[in-house]
Amino acid sequence: MPLGGFLAIFFLLLAAASGGALWYYSTHALAAVLSGAAYLFAVGKSLALAAFILAAVAIIFFIIARLLAAPLKRITRAMQAFADKGIRAPIRVPRLAPREVRELIGEFAKMSASVEAAQAHDKEVARVKSDFISTAAHQLRTPLTAVRWALEALSATPLSEDQRSLVENATAKSKDLVAIVGTLLDISLIESGKYKYQFAPLDLAALLENALADFIPLAGEHGVHLALAPGAAAPPVRADAERIKWVLNNLIENAIRYTPSGGSVTLSLAVAAGVAFLRVRDTGIGILPQDRGNIFERFFRGGNALSKESEGNGLGLYIARQIARDHGGDISFAANENGPGTTFTLALPVA
């Protein structure tokens, strides 16, 4: 109940009690000692006095409501604005407001300023980290590319079997390093808002069919059955085809790699309420409950994922979700209700 309503009820109860006391006094006490005109005069005086007292009490309650309820409402609105939009609005306090109300407003102002400073510090730290990653990646890309080219040139020369094995292994590792550097640059571009997209109508059904064909060889190597579930036709979405393909490929590759031999990965497409849902359902190792809150964090890999697959840098899902959100969508996941495994869902608004 609002403070003003509470005070109004309290005033009405006080008025009822005063009226009852006045009625009893007028009808019993005065009637016993006065009569006629004197009785009527005394009753009139009593009613006038009661009306004056009630009016004074009403004014006092109104002032109290203004001094208490109004500042509390301003504090509530300021807290809502700060929580929803991060706006730290000034709060006007009446001069006669109680000391406790003034202290409450002062403490809220200190708290909001502290939170704002912490957020600014976190943003600055994130910016410095992003700049460092971008600079380091740019500095590493050129020498790593030169090393890879040198190794590829060396592999074309006559070598012994042991030498060729070492060169081929080094070439593969150098390619992995170049790919990691490219991923770090992608993160830097995403976080700085400079990631470039080429938006155009995209047929999601065709995208799923192409992804199925692309990943059948990898699924066969891991002994995993890859299939596309039948679904209703979906209208096109406005998206960057290459970026969304990368996101879908990341989800499918993860599903295959973390599904034991003999398991299955199923792709599906559905549309509801103007949103297209691309789902990748696997019967794999699943995600541990303690890891679910961090699965989209940078460089995070679950404990069971590390034991199953040593390769990976923990950046794929982070980048995939950022791309999805840049398209007005999102990525979510849930444990399968029937059987083991996880279902990842890529949601995109239809065009």
Side-chain angles (χ1 to χ4, degrees):
M1 178 184 294
L3 179 61
F6 177 80
L7 292 176
I9 292 175
F10 189 66
F11 171 73
L12 291 176
L13 291 175
L14 180 62
S18 301
L22 177 63
W23 173 82
Y24 178 82
Y25 175 75
S26 300
T27 57
H28 292 77
L30 293 180
V33 297
L34 298 175
S35 61
Y39 171 75
L40 294 177
F41 178 79
V43 168
K45 289 290 186 179
S46 299
L47 290 175
L49 179 60
F52 174 78
I53 294 174
L54 289 177
V57 171
I59 294 173
I60 292 173
F61 273 108
F62 176 77
I63 294 174
I64 293 175
R66 293 286 296 177
L67 294 178
L68 289 178
L72 292 177
K73 286 182 179 180
R74 295 191 186 106
I75 294 175
T76 302
R77 286 196 294 266
M79 293 176 67
Q80 290 174 344
F82 187 72
D84 296 340
K85 302 178 181 179
I87 300 174
R88 190 156 60 96
I91 304 174
R92 186 173 61 84
V93 187
R95 293 181 179 179
L96 299 179
R99 177 169 54 86
E100 290 79 5
V101 173
R102 291 178 173 274
E103 290 177 352
L104 175 61
I105 293 175
E107 291 301 319
F108 170 72
K110 292 179 182 178
M111 182 204 70
S112 58
S114 176
V115 171
E116 196 173 59
Q119 290 177 339
H121 178 264
D122 290 343
K123 288 181 180 179
E124 180 62 18
V125 170
R127 186 193 65 79
V128 171
K129 289 169 61 178
S130 180
D131 290 346
F132 172 78
I133 290 174
S134 177
T135 302
H138 277 292
Q139 294 295 325
L140 289 172
R141 170 177 277 184
T142 300
L144 285 175
T145 303
V147 169
R148 191 186 69 181
W149 287 346
L151 290 170
E152 290 175 350
L154 184 60
S155 65
T157 63
L159 299 170
S160 66
E161 288 299 321
D162 291 342
Q163 291 172 334
R164 185 169 300 280
S165 176
L166 288 172
V167 170
E168 288 177 354
N169 184 58
T171 301
K173 295 301 182 183
S174 68
K175 290 180 179 179
D176 292 341
L177 287 173
V178 171
I180 291 174
V181 168
T183 301
L184 293 175
L185 288 173
D186 285 342
I187 290 177
S188 176
L189 291 173
I190 287 174
E191 293 181 342
S192 63
K194 298 177 182 178
Y195 211 44
K196 301 300 182 183
Y197 295 99
Q198 301 293 329
F199 289 97
L202 175 62
D203 186 345
L204 296 179
L207 180 68
L208 280 178
E209 292 175 358
N210 293 334
L212 178 71
D214 291 341
F215 280 96
I216 282 180
L218 180 63
E221 292 176 8
H222 286 74
V224 174
H225 177 67
L226 180 63
L228 175 60
V237 298
R238 184 175 177 273
D240 186 310
E242 290 301 317
R243 305 296 192 193
I244 295 300
K245 179 181 178 181
W246 186 94
V247 172
L248 182 61
N249 288 353
N250 181 271
L251 297 179
I252 297 173
E253 183 175 354
N254 285 346
I256 293 173
R257 292 189 182 279
Y258 296 118
T259 297
S261 179
S264 65
V265 174
T266 305
L267 315 180
S268 63
L269 174 63
V271 179
V275 179
F277 299 95
L278 293 86
R279 295 187 173 92
V280 179
R281 184 184 189 276
D282 64 62
T283 58
I285 60 176
I287 300 173
L288 298 176
Q290 63 267 28
D291 293 337
R292 291 173 185 170
N294 302 315
I295 201 67
F296 291 108
E297 295 296 325
R298 290 182 296 180
F299 305 108
F300 179 82
R301 298 188 70 203
N304 57 348
L306 286 170
S307 61
K308 170 68 177 176
E309 187 76 35
S310 60
E311 296 183 1
N313 50 37
L315 292 172
L317 286 177
Y318 171 78
I319 295 176
R321 191 178 211 185
Q322 296 304 314
I323 292 174
R325 288 181 169 178
D326 287 346
H327 282 72
D330 204 351
I331 296 179
S332 60
F333 68 92
N336 295 334
E337 294 182 358
N338 300 318
T342 310
T343 298
F344 276 82
T345 301
L346 169 61
L348 295 170
V350 299

